[in-house]
Amino acid sequence: MNIILLGPPGAGKGTQARKLVDERGMIQLSTGDMLREARTSGTEMGQKVAAIMDAGELVTDDIVIGLIEEKLAGDHGGGFIFDGFPRTLAQADALGDLLEKYGTGLHFVIAMEVNDDALVQRITARSTCGNCGEVYNDITKPIPADNKCTNCGASDFKRRADDNEESLRTRLMEYYKKTSPLIGYYHCKNQLQWIPGLGEIDEVAAQINAVLDD
Ligand code: AMP
């Protein structure tokens, strides 16, 4: 089963994708994580996208479609969770073609409904474990007092360079201008399922599982 988690920055796509990986053996394909990895390892592409990402703008379709194609050619595991991809109509068309090329398809598009005030609050308070990616929040899930990740025990917490109010404003505008048309696109294909994205992590996960098990 292949699914897309669709929603604005801070909707909780990454957190829910990680749970699906743990619980269902699915493979998370986050283009944001792939691009951050390219930056850390200092590849030419990583250097090219750094300033665009920090400003909160979208990188070109060619780059992210190329990253996704590389992954689709590999192990399919328990299915793919597309997290932060597609973000434009061109990417959505390309994903459809690629899935067909690799003999599979798209089963659900789960749109996570959240309000913008909650997103700002979530994102500006967000940090992640640099080792395993566990997500923390200064208010709702603070880093433990012993400074060790609850998931892997590492003490390497990071804040994203683009998790600040200015970049977030651009990221939200990019979402509304370029990504939100995907809601209509997948609605017309009868693949869209809305879930409320603002509850507790386990409540949201239960709603997603209810869609997948339907
Ligand atoms: P994310 O981790 O999904 O919030 O992505 C972080 C940043 O990476 C975005 O603000 C964009 O600059 C870039 N990015 C990630 N995925 C895509 C995509 N599918 N298309 C274009 N840019 C992307």
Side-chain angles (χ1 to χ4, degrees):
M1 174 154 42
N2 301 312
I3 67 167
I4 294 174
L5 294 182
L6 185 63
K13 302 183 295 290
T15 301
Q16 293 300 327
R18 288 168 50 76
K19 280 186 85 67
L20 291 168
V21 170
D22 289 345
E23 291 166 13
R24 292 180 176 252
M26 297 178 78
I27 297 174
Q28 178 186 11
L29 296 185
S30 157
T31 39
D33 285 350
M34 295 175 210
L35 292 166
R36 279 185 287 279
E37 231 173 86
R39 289 179 65 170
T40 311
S41 53
T43 64
E44 195 181 319
M45 183 270 277
Q47 288 170 9
K48 197 167 127 191
V49 297
I52 299 171
M53 290 176 74
D54 287 347
E57 290 160 15
L58 294 189
V59 310
T60 61
D61 290 334
D62 294 358
I63 290 179
V64 286
I65 292 167
L67 289 170
I68 288 289
E69 176 154 25
E70 272 174 37
K71 302 285 180 184
L72 293 189
D75 177 20
H76 286 212
F80 294 114
I81 309 155
F82 297 98
D83 160 14
F85 180 92
R87 261 174 155 103
T88 64
L89 290 167
Q91 292 176 24
D93 279 338
L95 178 62
D97 292 346
L98 284 172
L99 288 171
E100 200 180 320
K101 175 174 159 189
Y102 288 101
T104 179
L106 186 61
H107 301 89
F108 293 107
V109 178
I110 298 181
M112 301 174 72
E113 191 177 15
V114 281
N115 72 48
D116 288 358
D117 290 343
L119 297 176
V120 176
Q121 198 247 349
R122 270 191 189 179
I123 283 201
T124 50
R126 172 163 80 172
S127 54
T128 54
C129 170
N131 183 48
C132 73
E134 185 75 2
V135 181
Y136 292 86
N137 178 289
D138 297 341
I139 298 147
T140 56
K141 187 182 166 189
I143 292 168
D146 64 1
N147 206 39
K148 288 197 165 80
C149 173
T150 48
N151 188 48
C152 73
S155 298
D156 172 26
F157 298 100
K158 293 196 158 68
R159 283 192 196 266
R160 282 173 45 170
D162 59 348
D163 275 353
N164 61 73
E165 276 201 62
E166 200 187 331
S167 298
L168 178 59
R169 262 196 298 277
T170 309
R171 285 157 72 196
L172 275 175
M173 190 52 86
E174 290 283 74
Y175 174 79
Y176 287 117
K177 277 193 336 206
K178 298 175 185 166
T179 309
S180 67
L182 298 187
I183 290 169
Y185 176 95
Y186 286 117
H187 171 72
C188 283
K189 288 174 171 272
N190 272 330
Q191 288 174 313
L192 194 75
Q193 302 271 346
W194 280 104
I195 58 143
L198 263 190
E200 294 293 318
I201 293 174
D202 287 339
E203 283 167 19
V204 177
Q207 304 259 10
I208 294 176
N209 278 311
V211 170
L212 302 189
D213 292 333
D214 194 14

